[in-house]
């Protein structure tokens, strides 16, 4: 048999093993315990759905229908040490199947399926003394009701006016699918609007939705026969194209206080309550300002600070969102372990008093942590280094009696590794940060009062990293930034002033290594960054789907680069960068899908000087701002910083780490549970990583043509990794063991575009990681 055919068969065997091994582990062996002997018991229940819904909506409907089954028909397998166990399965009874039909029918009607068909069947499989019953429910949903018209008919003129003014915000639109859930959401929306317009006590008992008025008219005994014939014809048309009318109305006036608008009267703030009252009998001090009373016993917080973060004002119309905002803003500051607001309405006067009760947290705490790690971010070597470090942290939660958070951190660490030394790297760092719960600016930001939360962040740190007898880094960093969250739940961060300075001290060993690695001298240089950057983060969910979006923009040297003295004496880097990171998660009870897409590009536009003092154009981003691929969380079939750039072979004969100006990467994981082992949750995943890094151009070197990004070469340059993972989930953190193969290696792009070259079962890449890669 030809050698290439043999290799192909072996390779295909490896791939099948890679895909099926985790699934076999997940399935394991099945064991049935404590079953009723010689009696039929539930072994498997299946719900089959015939519908014209899209696949994603169909899957969601099947899951909902399975949850509607009677408990005695829901088969509950448990996982333990790679075994599936069914313990005490219930005896099969047709009564429970009939009940389940009713439950399924109720759900279909609540979801707008009015003309469907439901049936069930069962079969018995005899295995020794076991009578295993398989139950199948067949569901034909039929056509779904669509909304024809949406109206509002409240007797109270104010309620009607508010509803009509906000109807554009309604999620119900003509032609949308009908469901009880969507109607319920609209009722909740209306109630929230009313509660933000003074209606403190309005609730679900006061508003309702009236549906299908045409069908309701048919049961009127006094209806004219000709009118009844017309309605019957309309009902028949609706069966062919089922539609429904919705009108939101107001119930009776049994609770008149529910339909009156309240205003705030007394606002009392208690900033230093204690969970357990002591018997010291301290007399509280009361300060009254702008109609608000601040009642304190320990004087832990300044009065202007408390007033600034309270949004409840005497005489103002009651708004539920102001109550929630006050509670959230104070509760998220960290100065209090608990914040609660008590509302005390006086119905006869249509006013409400509010008491803001706050229980301070411990002002300061000291932490000492010892950590061990394997280095995946070493800037110099591609070896796997074992590190030990000790961290000291001091946290003060209430600086200057204004809930300013202060953190002081010190870290000392070593790395044990190669080059003939037990201790390869020494590292020490110290940092100080302040988080101020407001914008600190030379001018007033008027829009601050409309934001859900605001913070000013000030940080400063210094780090010394000594790669013994090779290279020493000294870095200083200071930043001032502003963080806020708007009413659309978008989190923004803007830093107008970020300074990073790096000083490198090189040894003879470094210069010898630089003779082997062409770009080492260009990558590791002294440099200064004076930049500003903007970050936008947004999270949102839709059912079982979670979305995470982040965009970051940064530029350095655009303003301060115009100061020639600064540019000449400090080697100020000039560049612009933009990163986009999008993540999508689909969560199921025992498994999930995770998708990530990342694109980043940096454009250096500064100048540097060669040994002769001539000015040349800057071609590279600073090494600590460049992109790289490979490692525990990026292109896991390659070692850290060992992929790319592009399909270039320029670095083939050296261990040079690869940095670049542009990166594209997509990651896909199917994550699933394996079971438990000694109380630890075992999980696994099948994953693929797709991406690479590139230079923007060949930097004037024809040998780097294949390292530059070209759309025409994208397919050849893209790398593809595939692998599996074993994960130990301790709830508060996860240890991850990934094993990945180079399915498509750009290094072999001239041979079958790099697909399946040099792939062997034991020649994958092992990666050790902490927590999920994304």
């Amino acid at each position: 048999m030809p050698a290439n055919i043999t290799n192909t068969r072996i390779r295909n065997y490896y791939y099948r093993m890679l895909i099926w091994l985790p699934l076999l582990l997940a399935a394991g062996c099945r064991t049935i315990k404590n079953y009723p002997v010689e009696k039929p018991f539930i072994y498997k229940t299946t719900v089959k759905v015939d519908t014209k819904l899209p696949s994603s909506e169909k899957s969601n409907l099947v899951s909902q229908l399975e949850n509607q089954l009677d408990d005695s028909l829901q088969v509950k397998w448990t996982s333990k040490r790679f075994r599936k166990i069914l313990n005490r399965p219930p005896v099969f009874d047709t009564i429970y199947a009939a009940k389940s039909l009713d439950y399924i029918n109720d759900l279909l009607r609540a979801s707008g399926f009015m003309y469907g068909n439901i049936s069930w069947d069962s079969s018995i499989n005899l295995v020794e003394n076991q009578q295993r019953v398989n139950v199948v429910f067949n569901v034909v949903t039929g056509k779904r009701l669509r909304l024809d018209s949406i109206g509002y008919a409240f007797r109270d003129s104010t309620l009607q006016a508010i509803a009509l003014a906000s109807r554009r915000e309604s999620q119900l639109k003509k032609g949308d699918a009908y469901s009880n859930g969507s109607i319920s959401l609209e009722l909740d929306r209306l109630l929230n609007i009313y509660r933000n317009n003074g209606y403190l006590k309005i609730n679900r008992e006061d508003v309702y939705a009236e549906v299908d008025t045409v069908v309701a008219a048919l049961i009127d005994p006094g209806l004219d026969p000709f009118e009844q014939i017309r309605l019957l014809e309309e009902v028949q048309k609706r069966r062919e194209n089922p539609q429904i009318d919705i009108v939101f109305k107001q119930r009776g006036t049994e609770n008149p206080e529910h339909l009156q608008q309240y205003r705030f009267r007394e606002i009392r703030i208690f900033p230093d309550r204690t969970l357990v009252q002591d018997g010291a009998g301290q007399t509280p001090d009361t300060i009254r300002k702008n109609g608000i009373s601040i009642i304190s016993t320990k004087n832990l917080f300044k009065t202007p600070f408390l007033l600034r973060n309270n949004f409840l004002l005497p005489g103002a119309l009651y708004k539920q969102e102001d109550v929630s905002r006050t509670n959230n803003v104070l509760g998220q500051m960290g100065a209090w372990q608990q914040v609660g607001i008590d509302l005390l309405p006086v119905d006869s006067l249509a006013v409400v008093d509010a008491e803001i009760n706050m229980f301070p947290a411990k002002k300061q705490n000291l932490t000492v942590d010892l950590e061990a790690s394997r280095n995946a971010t070493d800037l110099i070597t591609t070896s796997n280094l074992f590190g030990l470090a000790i961290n000291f942290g001091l946290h003060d939660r209430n600086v200057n009696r204004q809930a300013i958070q202060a953190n002081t951190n010190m870290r000392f660490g070593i790395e044990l590794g190669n080059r003939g030394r037990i201790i390869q790297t020494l590292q020490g760092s110290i940092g100080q940060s302040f988080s101020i719960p407001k914008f600190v600016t030379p001018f007033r930001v008027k829009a601050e009062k409309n934001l859900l939360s605001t913070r000013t962040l000030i940080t400063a740190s210094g780090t010394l990293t000594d790669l013994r007898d090779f290279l020493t880094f000294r870095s200083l960093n200071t930043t001032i930034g502003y963080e806020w969250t708007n009413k659309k739940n978008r989190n923004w961060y803007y830093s107008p002033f970020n300074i990073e300075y790096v000083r490198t001290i090189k040894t003879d060993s470094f210069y010898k290594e630089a003779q082997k690695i062409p770009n080492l001298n260009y990558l590791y240089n002294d440099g200064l960054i004076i930049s500003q950057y903007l970050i936008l983060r947004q999270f949102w969910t839709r059912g079982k789907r979670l979305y995470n979006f982040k965009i970051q923009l940064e530029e350095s040297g655009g303003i301060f680069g115009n100061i020639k003295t600064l540019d000449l004496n400090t080697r100020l880097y000039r560049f612009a960068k933009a990163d986009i990171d999008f993540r999508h998660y689909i969560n199921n009870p025992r498994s999930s899908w995770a998708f990530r897409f990342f694109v980043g590009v940096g454009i250096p536009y500064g100048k540097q000087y060669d040994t002769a003092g001539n000015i040349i154009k800057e071609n590279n981003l600073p090494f600590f701002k460049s992109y790289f691929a490979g490692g525990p969380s990026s292109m896991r079939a390659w070692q850290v910083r060992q992929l790319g750039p592009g399909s270039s072979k320029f670095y083939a004969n050296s261990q040079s780490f690869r940095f670049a100006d542009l990166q594209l990467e997509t990651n896909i994981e199917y994550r699933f549970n394996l079971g438990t082992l000694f109380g630890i949750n075992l999980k696994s995943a099948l994953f693929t990583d797709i991406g690479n890094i590139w230079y923007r151009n060949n930097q004037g070197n024809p040998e780097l043509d294949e390292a530059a990004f070209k759309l025409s070469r994208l397919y050849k340059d893209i790398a593809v990794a595939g692998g599996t993972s074993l994960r130990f989930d301790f709830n508060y953190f996860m240890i991850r063991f990934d094993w990945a193969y180079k399915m498509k290696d750009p290094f072999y792009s001239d041979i079958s575009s790099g697909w399946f070259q040099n792939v062997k079962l034991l020649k994958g890449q092992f990666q050790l990681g902490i927590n999920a890669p994304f």
Side-chain angles (χ1 to χ4, degrees), residues 170-387:
S170 173
Q171 298 299 311
L172 300 180
K173 306 296 180 185
K174 181 180 175 66
D176 286 353
Y178 168 87
S179 72
N180 284 359
S182 61
I183 303 302
S184 179
L185 289 176
E186 177 64 7
L187 287 171
D188 289 339
R189 186 189 72 83
L190 289 171
L191 290 175
N192 284 333
I193 291 175
Y194 291 144
R195 288 168 185 157
N196 286 325
N197 280 273
Y199 292 92
L200 170 65
K201 292 193 172 184
I202 196 168
N203 58 37
R204 280 291 189 93
E205 296 178 357
D206 304 308
V207 295
Y208 69 100
E210 183 178 271
V211 300
D212 209 359
T213 55
V214 171
V215 177
L218 285 173
I219 64 175
D220 183 1
L223 190 67
D224 181 85
F226 294 102
E227 178 66 12
Q228 191 172 30
I229 292 173
R230 187 188 68 79
L231 291 176
L232 284 170
E233 291 177 352
E234 186 170 343
V235 169
Q236 182 60 35
K237 291 179 181 178
R238 290 197 175 197
R239 284 186 65 91
E240 298 172 359
N241 185 23
Q243 294 180 329
I244 194 168
D245 301 320
I246 306 291
V247 181
F248 293 92
K249 295 185 174 183
Q250 172 187 343
R251 293 192 193 277
T253 57
E254 290 83 2
N255 300 303
E257 69 274 8
H258 289 197
L259 302 177
Q260 67 181 5
Q261 292 175 294
Y262 287 75
R263 292 186 177 274
F264 284 111
R265 186 177 65 172
E266 291 288 335
I267 308 297
R268 294 182 287 272
I269 301 176
F270 299 87
D272 48 19
R273 290 253 195 214
T274 56
L275 291 173
V276 179
Q277 298 292 337
D278 56 31
Q282 293 177 304
T283 302
D285 293 328
T286 301
I287 299 175
R288 189 169 179 83
K289 192 168 184 179
N290 300 329
I292 299 173
S293 299
I294 299 175
I295 305 166
S296 172
T297 58
K298 301 178 182 178
N299 195 27
L300 297 179
F301 301 92
K302 291 183 177 180
T303 298
F305 160 72
L306 295 171
L307 294 175
R308 185 174 66 245
N309 291 284
N310 165 56
F311 302 95
L312 310 181
L313 303 177
L317 198 65
Y318 167 83
K319 290 185 179 182
Q320 179 178 267
E321 63 183 14
D322 288 342
V323 176
S324 299
R325 183 182 181 188
T326 300
N327 191 83
N328 292 336
V329 167
L330 294 171
Q332 293 173 4
M333 286 184 180
W336 294 277
Q337 58 179 317
Q338 183 176 322
V339 176
I341 300 178
D342 294 332
L343 299 175
L344 308 172
V346 182
D347 298 334
S348 60
L349 300 177
V351 296
V352 57
D353 298 335
E355 292 186 352
I356 305 174
N357 300 295
M358 297 179 282
F359 302 84
K362 185 178 180 181
K363 186 176 186 296
Q364 294 179 330
N365 71 291
L366 176 67
T367 59
V368 180
D369 297 322
L370 181 66
E371 67 179 44
S373 63
R374 183 183 68 84
N375 188 0
T377 57
D378 192 318
L379 297 173
I380 295 298
T381 115
T382 57
S383 303
N384 295 327
L385 305 178
F386 181 74

